[in-house]
Amino acid sequence: MEVIVLGGGLIGTASAYFLARRGLKVTLVERNRVGSGATVASFGNIRRSGRYLPQLPLAHRSLSLWRKAEAMLGQDVEFRPTGHLRLVFGTIGLASMRSFIEAARPWGLVLDELDMRDVRTRFPGVGPDAIGASFSPEDGSGNPRLIAPAFAAAAARLGAAIVEQVAVESVARTASGFTVETSKGSISAEVLLNTAGAWGAQIAARFGEAVPIEARGPQMGVTEPLPYRILPVVGVWGGDGTEGYLRQVERGNIVFGGGVERSQVALDPGHAKADPARLSLQLRKLLPLLPALANVSIIRTWSGCEGYVADGLPVMGPSATTPGLFHAFGFSGHGFQLGPGVGDVMAELIAVGQTETPLHDFRIERFLPTAC
């Protein structure tokens, strides 16, 4: 079986790798460079805390692959299971945390509830005014700049063709499958996998499947190096006025995001830029998490084009209109942790016709006029 994968972010490259590992002939097509879109804009958070509960089986599957990533891909992609600390600053956040802890347990996720004495003892300098926290010890972070190129290189070693910097001019169903016309020629295959991110809805629309999606850009930044002392990823249970997330890399820099609205992005050309005018507000929002940010220099800011589906859930699974077409796009800023698992699931679904991981809530049929 031959498969064309449209889109070379983490989802597309992971899919190409797992498809090739199953012995399928794969051609991955990317309009820019592998990993240059939403993936490189990512914070690098590998968390299960706070997820939509029916997404947890996929998140568990993905975490198991993150643990194997270095051995599987032949390079260190900086997966660090440092834990995920999520602070509480008020009664709304406390209720949200406790409700999630209780609801997530039957789904196989056990979170520790910490009081502030625990937080101050284990993580000094973090969230001094918080009233509590949850801690997920097996979660952590990875490097968004390394993971998609690593999957692409590993897929290529298994025989996949990685085609970069090509414009997709048309996509059509044929008697034997699909033909994709690009600026570098025509590619044909029996199966088409749409992993085009924010552009994924445009591909789906060509086959009569409308998906309400917006392209947005997060505001990300990184500080000068500081003494290394913050081990876990740090976030917030929201609703009480404090927002944002941060982590410290081993070189000492603090990577941060959140706290401000994501910017609107035009899909043509799809370039997202950080807004310097928002930086001061963003840092003020982050100070309750880490007061030390008040006295550091910001050395770089960036953004990237992410696809946000109207209901906040991705589109995953087979097309509702076209045999041989599959979708995996619209991860709404939550796809980094899921990426390896999504690739594995889509490869399983394409190769054997079914998957053990539940995808019902992510099916594209939910947007069809007759969906119920």
mmCIF file of all heavy atoms in Angstrom, residues 21-41:
data_model
loop_
_atom_site.group_PDB
_atom_site.id
_atom_site.type_symbol
_atom_site.label_atom_id
_atom_site.label_comp_id
_atom_site.label_asym_id
_atom_site.label_seq_id
_atom_site.Cartn_x
_atom_site.Cartn_y
_atom_site.Cartn_z
ATOM 1 N N ARG A 21 7.320 2.041 9.230
ATOM 2 C CA ARG A 21 7.705 0.925 10.096
ATOM 3 C C ARG A 21 6.800 -0.286 9.894
ATOM 4 O O ARG A 21 7.211 -1.431 10.113
ATOM 5 C CB ARG A 21 7.684 1.367 11.566
ATOM 6 C CG ARG A 21 8.521 0.480 12.470
ATOM 7 C CD ARG A 21 8.743 1.086 13.831
ATOM 8 N NE ARG A 21 7.593 0.969 14.697
ATOM 9 C CZ ARG A 21 7.630 1.164 16.020
ATOM 10 N NH1 ARG A 21 8.773 1.521 16.608
ATOM 11 N NH2 ARG A 21 6.551 1.051 16.757
ATOM 12 N N ARG A 22 5.575 -0.041 9.454
ATOM 13 C CA ARG A 22 4.648 -1.134 9.142
ATOM 14 C C ARG A 22 4.836 -1.664 7.719
ATOM 15 O O ARG A 22 4.094 -2.534 7.285
ATOM 16 C CB ARG A 22 3.200 -0.674 9.346
ATOM 17 C CG ARG A 22 2.807 -0.531 10.810
ATOM 18 C CD ARG A 22 1.373 -0.032 10.945
ATOM 19 N NE ARG A 22 0.938 0.008 12.347
ATOM 20 C CZ ARG A 22 0.341 -0.987 12.979
ATOM 21 N NH1 ARG A 22 0.081 -2.127 12.330
ATOM 22 N NH2 ARG A 22 -0.011 -0.874 14.240
ATOM 23 N N GLY A 23 5.797 -1.118 6.998
ATOM 24 C CA GLY A 23 6.116 -1.619 5.674
ATOM 25 C C GLY A 23 5.392 -0.944 4.530
ATOM 26 O O GLY A 23 5.493 -1.394 3.377
ATOM 27 N N LEU A 24 4.664 0.141 4.797
ATOM 28 C CA LEU A 24 3.954 0.849 3.744
ATOM 29 C C LEU A 24 4.903 1.819 3.034
ATOM 30 O O LEU A 24 5.858 2.318 3.624
ATOM 31 C CB LEU A 24 2.761 1.614 4.314
ATOM 32 C CG LEU A 24 1.490 0.783 4.569
ATOM 33 C CD1 LEU A 24 1.709 -0.241 5.664
ATOM 34 C CD2 LEU A 24 0.318 1.684 4.933
ATOM 35 N N LYS A 25 4.630 2.069 1.767
ATOM 36 C CA LYS A 25 5.419 3.018 0.992
ATOM 37 C C LYS A 25 4.843 4.409 1.221
ATOM 38 O O LYS A 25 3.672 4.658 0.930
ATOM 39 C CB LYS A 25 5.385 2.666 -0.492
ATOM 40 C CG LYS A 25 6.274 3.562 -1.343
ATOM 41 C CD LYS A 25 6.271 3.137 -2.805
ATOM 42 C CE LYS A 25 7.162 4.059 -3.641
ATOM 43 N NZ LYS A 25 7.150 3.664 -5.075
ATOM 44 N N VAL A 26 5.667 5.325 1.717
ATOM 45 C CA VAL A 26 5.179 6.621 2.179
ATOM 46 C C VAL A 26 5.898 7.757 1.459
ATOM 47 O O VAL A 26 7.126 7.729 1.306
ATOM 48 C CB VAL A 26 5.399 6.775 3.706
ATOM 49 C CG1 VAL A 26 4.859 8.119 4.189
ATOM 50 C CG2 VAL A 26 4.751 5.634 4.466
ATOM 51 N N THR A 27 5.115 8.757 1.045
ATOM 52 C CA THR A 27 5.670 10.019 0.572
ATOM 53 C C THR A 27 5.070 11.137 1.418
ATOM 54 O O THR A 27 3.846 11.309 1.444
ATOM 55 C CB THR A 27 5.345 10.277 -0.911
ATOM 56 O OG1 THR A 27 5.862 9.219 -1.703
ATOM 57 C CG2 THR A 27 5.956 11.603 -1.369
ATOM 58 N N LEU A 28 5.908 11.876 2.124
ATOM 59 C CA LEU A 28 5.458 13.000 2.927
ATOM 60 C C LEU A 28 5.739 14.291 2.160
ATOM 61 O O LEU A 28 6.843 14.504 1.664
ATOM 62 C CB LEU A 28 6.174 13.035 4.282
ATOM 63 C CG LEU A 28 5.759 14.165 5.237
ATOM 64 C CD1 LEU A 28 5.808 13.684 6.682
ATOM 65 C CD2 LEU A 28 6.636 15.405 5.085
ATOM 66 N N VAL A 29 4.724 15.159 2.073
ATOM 67 C CA VAL A 29 4.830 16.415 1.331
ATOM 68 C C VAL A 29 4.665 17.573 2.309
ATOM 69 O O VAL A 29 3.647 17.658 3.021
ATOM 70 C CB VAL A 29 3.755 16.497 0.225
ATOM 71 C CG1 VAL A 29 3.851 17.822 -0.510
ATOM 72 C CG2 VAL A 29 3.891 15.325 -0.734
ATOM 73 N N GLU A 30 5.650 18.481 2.337
ATOM 74 C CA GLU A 30 5.629 19.629 3.238
ATOM 75 C C GLU A 30 5.869 20.910 2.450
ATOM 76 O O GLU A 30 6.805 21.006 1.664
ATOM 77 C CB GLU A 30 6.690 19.467 4.330
ATOM 78 C CG GLU A 30 7.028 20.709 5.124
ATOM 79 C CD GLU A 30 5.820 21.372 5.786
ATOM 80 O OE1 GLU A 30 4.924 20.646 6.288
ATOM 81 O OE2 GLU A 30 5.772 22.611 5.785
ATOM 82 N N ARG A 31 5.013 21.920 2.673
ATOM 83 C CA ARG A 31 5.087 23.162 1.911
ATOM 84 C C ARG A 31 6.314 24.003 2.261
ATOM 85 O O ARG A 31 6.795 24.769 1.434
ATOM 86 C CB ARG A 31 3.804 23.987 2.109
ATOM 87 C CG ARG A 31 3.623 24.523 3.507
ATOM 88 C CD ARG A 31 2.175 24.947 3.759
ATOM 89 N NE ARG A 31 1.760 26.037 2.908
ATOM 90 C CZ ARG A 31 1.831 27.322 3.254
ATOM 91 N NH1 ARG A 31 2.325 27.658 4.435
ATOM 92 N NH2 ARG A 31 1.411 28.257 2.439
ATOM 93 N N ASN A 32 6.802 23.881 3.490
ATOM 94 C CA ASN A 32 8.002 24.597 3.911
ATOM 95 C C ASN A 32 9.092 23.589 4.277
ATOM 96 O O ASN A 32 9.472 22.775 3.468
ATOM 97 C CB ASN A 32 7.675 25.543 5.063
ATOM 98 C CG ASN A 32 6.819 26.709 4.621
ATOM 99 O OD1 ASN A 32 7.124 27.358 3.629
ATOM 100 N ND2 ASN A 32 5.750 26.983 5.339
ATOM 101 N N ARG A 33 9.571 23.635 5.485
ATOM 102 C CA ARG A 33 10.519 22.650 5.972
ATOM 103 C C ARG A 33 9.861 21.831 7.072
ATOM 104 O O ARG A 33 8.970 22.313 7.791
ATOM 105 C CB ARG A 33 11.790 23.326 6.520
ATOM 106 C CG ARG A 33 12.562 24.140 5.489
ATOM 107 C CD ARG A 33 12.972 23.317 4.290
ATOM 108 N NE ARG A 33 13.909 22.262 4.634
ATOM 109 C CZ ARG A 33 15.235 22.385 4.600
ATOM 110 N NH1 ARG A 33 15.790 23.533 4.216
ATOM 111 N NH2 ARG A 33 16.017 21.368 4.907
ATOM 112 N N VAL A 34 10.282 20.600 7.211
ATOM 113 C CA VAL A 34 9.740 19.718 8.237
ATOM 114 C C VAL A 34 9.818 20.393 9.610
ATOM 115 O O VAL A 34 10.867 20.925 9.989
ATOM 116 C CB VAL A 34 10.516 18.384 8.245
ATOM 117 C CG1 VAL A 34 10.336 17.651 9.550
ATOM 118 C CG2 VAL A 34 10.080 17.512 7.079
ATOM 119 N N GLY A 35 8.692 20.392 10.314
ATOM 120 C CA GLY A 35 8.656 20.913 11.674
ATOM 121 C C GLY A 35 8.646 22.411 11.799
ATOM 122 O O GLY A 35 8.799 22.941 12.909
ATOM 123 N N SER A 36 8.417 23.138 10.697
ATOM 124 C CA SER A 36 8.548 24.598 10.737
ATOM 125 C C SER A 36 7.250 25.322 11.063
ATOM 126 O O SER A 36 7.244 26.546 11.186
ATOM 127 C CB SER A 36 9.079 25.106 9.392
ATOM 128 O OG SER A 36 8.160 24.826 8.339
ATOM 129 N N GLY A 37 6.150 24.618 11.213
ATOM 130 C CA GLY A 37 4.861 25.259 11.448
ATOM 131 C C GLY A 37 4.475 25.271 12.917
ATOM 132 O O GLY A 37 5.181 25.815 13.768
ATOM 133 N N ALA A 38 3.332 24.653 13.230
ATOM 134 C CA ALA A 38 2.848 24.650 14.613
ATOM 135 C C ALA A 38 3.815 23.944 15.560
ATOM 136 O O ALA A 38 3.931 24.315 16.728
ATOM 137 C CB ALA A 38 1.471 23.990 14.674
ATOM 138 N N THR A 39 4.515 22.932 15.060
ATOM 139 C CA THR A 39 5.394 22.166 15.948
ATOM 140 C C THR A 39 6.482 23.040 16.542
ATOM 141 O O THR A 39 6.726 23.022 17.756
ATOM 142 C CB THR A 39 6.026 20.987 15.191
ATOM 143 O OG1 THR A 39 4.990 20.149 14.679
ATOM 144 C CG2 THR A 39 6.920 20.170 16.117
ATOM 145 N N VAL A 40 7.136 23.826 15.706
ATOM 146 C CA VAL A 40 8.247 24.641 16.208
ATOM 147 C C VAL A 40 7.742 25.775 17.091
ATOM 148 O O VAL A 40 8.493 26.329 17.889
ATOM 149 C CB VAL A 40 9.102 25.171 15.044
ATOM 150 C CG1 VAL A 40 8.469 26.382 14.391
ATOM 151 C CG2 VAL A 40 10.518 25.480 15.505
ATOM 152 N N ALA A 41 6.469 26.134 16.962
ATOM 153 C CA ALA A 41 5.882 27.168 17.821
ATOM 154 C C ALA A 41 5.513 26.634 19.188
ATOM 155 O O ALA A 41 5.206 27.401 20.105
ATOM 156 C CB ALA A 41 4.640 27.752 17.156
#
